[in-house]
Amino acid sequence: MITDLTKRGRAHLPARQHTIDIPETTLPRMLDDVAHEFGDRIALDFLGRKTSYAKLADRVRRAAGLLYNLGVRRGDVVALVLPNCAQHMIAFFAIQRLGAIAAEHNPLAPTKEIQDQLDRHGANVVIAWEKALAQVCPDGDLCGRQVLAVDLTKDLPHLSRRMLQLPIARAKELRTQMRGPVPAGVGSFVHNLKRAKYLPDHIPGPEQDDVAVYLHTGGTTGAPKTVPLTHRNLVAQAKMGEAWLPPTARGSETFAAILPYFHAFGMMLSLVFGVHVAATQVVFPRFDVDMVLSAQRRRPMTFVPGVPPMFDRIAKAAKDKGR
């Protein structure tokens, strides 16, 4: 399939390139292809903990099996109420493998907003950050849904997890930032994932025109609306990113995943495009200037999508620190 670009967009593309070929593929096939070709390459670096593409694809298969055993089928909706983390990406692609729909939510949104969105799309399964469970399960009420909690500390390197257990003020502060109370009846995503069996290969995946994602966007009104995007939409976005940006070397780039995956900008230029070009994603659960500068020293990033105020703060902090 060929997607035409606007005249304004053509000015930014290589000479004589007026169209982009959109491959006949889907998000789970995209990940499988990258894992086959670049299995040993680091896919995710979350605060120092590394996950290869082979390991990511393996966990996605297991997570798809977990969701299938929870009753998720093609066309069903699974809600994600998560910050950027490895578990977010695993859950996202597991949903895609089943041909289900990932409904993305801002984990910091107020309770009424999240409840209205959950009621609107009707997800029966919710995977949520522990600190967002108060909005997902107000007063401990699961509202008839199956809810799995995500403990962000499980994504940390082993030494960092051990340090969080120390009886010191800084460790307590970090635990408070990353963890929250879990109501009765809410399961653990990581615990269930470890026990889950792989999704059988004979279970069919999605077609290109199946809906892959529900994004909640305020647009110009400020009131979030549920917008469906198909696999074709997202694959096309990845190909357009490849054409618009400076030449990207497949399997050689390091992306900063600072923008939230639950937002269109972060989803397209990190979660989807990053996988498309087999990039290593340095994943940040929130925007923190010191965290970004530290990561840049540990793993230099070649592509940092963001907004001007972010770049301004990073540049000023780097100058102040003499970096």
Side-chain angles (χ1 to χ4, degrees):
M1 180 181 178
I2 302 296
T3 295
D4 289 310
L5 302 179
T6 64
K7 291 181 179 179
R8 181 181 178 185
R10 288 172 183 167
H12 300 279
L13 294 174
R16 295 182 299 280
Q17 184 175 354
H18 296 269
T19 57
I20 294 174
D21 292 309
I22 307 302
E24 294 291 329
T25 191
T26 61
L27 296 180
R29 275 184 259 155
M30 176 193 296
L31 175 61
D32 286 345
D33 289 345
V34 170
H36 178 74
E37 188 174 356
F38 299 96
D40 293 334
R41 179 166 173 76
I42 295 172
L44 304 172
D45 178 326
F46 182 80
L47 305 182
R49 184 174 182 181
K50 300 177 286 293
T51 304
S52 69
Y53 270 104
K55 179 63 72 174
L56 174 62
D58 180 83
R59 289 176 178 166
V60 165
R61 284 182 60 209
R62 196 179 292 276
L66 166 62
L67 293 175
Y68 189 82
N69 286 335
L70 290 177
V72 178
R73 298 294 185 268
R74 183 173 175 176
D76 289 344
V77 181
V78 178
L80 300 179
V81 194
L82 299 167
N84 291 5
C85 58
Q87 295 174 72
H88 193 151
M89 183 173 281
I90 291 167
F92 178 88
F93 276 98
I95 295 165
Q96 305 310 321
R97 169 60 184 88
L98 290 170
I101 301 167
E104 290 282 357
H105 301 264
N106 180 350
L108 301 180
T111 301
K112 185 178 187 309
E113 183 175 303
I114 288 182
Q115 287 297 317
D116 286 348
Q117 292 170 357
L118 292 174
D119 289 341
R120 189 181 309 134
H121 59 60
N124 290 319
V125 176
V126 181
I127 303 173
W129 180 28
E130 287 180 341
K131 291 187 75 69
L133 291 174
Q135 298 97 288
V136 173
C137 313
D139 299 319
D141 183 3
L142 277 60
C143 304
R145 305 181 182 103
Q146 299 181 84
V147 181
L148 295 176
V150 165
D151 172 2
L152 283 192
T153 67
K154 297 297 186 183
D155 280 357
L156 295 174
H158 178 71
L159 180 59
S160 297
R161 294 200 304 273
R162 293 286 299 273
M163 290 179 65
L164 281 181
Q165 304 306 315
L166 296 176
I168 57 177
R170 180 55 178 162
K172 182 178 180 180
E173 179 186 352
L174 290 173
R175 289 198 305 270
T176 301
Q177 290 176 2
M178 301 185 79
R179 301 212 58 188
V182 178
V186 173
S188 164
F189 180 68
V190 166
H191 180 67
N192 282 278
L193 184 60
K194 288 179 179 178
R195 299 187 305 169
K197 295 181 179 180
Y198 293 117
L199 182 75
D201 291 337
H202 67 81
I203 303 297
E207 299 297 330
Q208 199 170 30
D209 289 318
D210 288 344
V211 174
V213 172
Y214 284 153
L215 279 180
H216 292 97
T217 173
T220 57
T221 67
K225 296 169 286 293
T226 305
V227 178
L229 295 171
T230 66
H231 288 263
R232 190 185 301 275
N233 292 149
L234 296 173
V235 170
Q237 288 279 357
K239 292 298 292 184
M240 284 189 278
E242 192 174 23
W244 277 55
L245 290 168
T248 51
R250 193 164 184 263
S252 300
E253 306 293 341
T254 301
F255 284 18
I258 303 174
L259 295 167
Y261 289 155
F262 61 77
H263 188 275
F265 197 177
M267 174 177 289
M268 299 309 171
L269 284 185
S270 296
L271 184 63
V272 176
F273 180 51
V275 170
H276 172 66
V277 297
T280 293
Q281 293 191 42
V282 182
V283 182
F284 300 89
R286 68 182 190 282
F287 175 56
D288 180 284
V289 172
D290 290 337
M291 197 182 294
V292 173
L293 293 178
S294 176
Q296 178 66 15
R297 295 182 66 183
R298 183 183 76 250
R299 189 175 297 281
M301 292 165 274
T302 60
F303 179 50
V304 184
V307 293
M310 291 169 53
F311 298 138
D312 182 60
R313 288 180 58 189
I314 292 171
K316 287 179 178 177
K319 183 177 180 181
D320 291 342
K321 294 176 183 293
R323 296 182 182 176

